[in-house]
Amino acid sequence: MGLILTILGIIVLVSGVLGVLRGQLLWGIILIVVGLALTPGYFYGF
């Protein structure tokens, strides 16, 4: 389950960064926050 959340979180994070780069600032920030919430803490080393 953790692996699925990690992969899903990374996909959402990348989508958020691409959204910010394309000029959709609000949507990109929302996706980045959701991606960080989905990705388990062990991925970041906490």
Side-chain angles (χ1 to χ4, degrees):
M1 183 70 175
L3 181 63
I4 294 171
L5 283 176
T6 302
I7 293 171
L8 187 62
I10 291 171
I11 290 170
V12 172
L13 277 170
V14 170
S15 299
V17 170
L18 290 176
V20 168
L21 291 177
R22 282 184 285 162
Q24 299 173 345
L25 191 60
L26 182 63
W27 185 242
I29 291 173
I30 291 172
L31 286 176
I32 290 171
V33 170
V34 169
L36 288 174
L38 280 178
T39 309
Y42 66 84
F43 182 72
Y44 301 111
F46 295 126

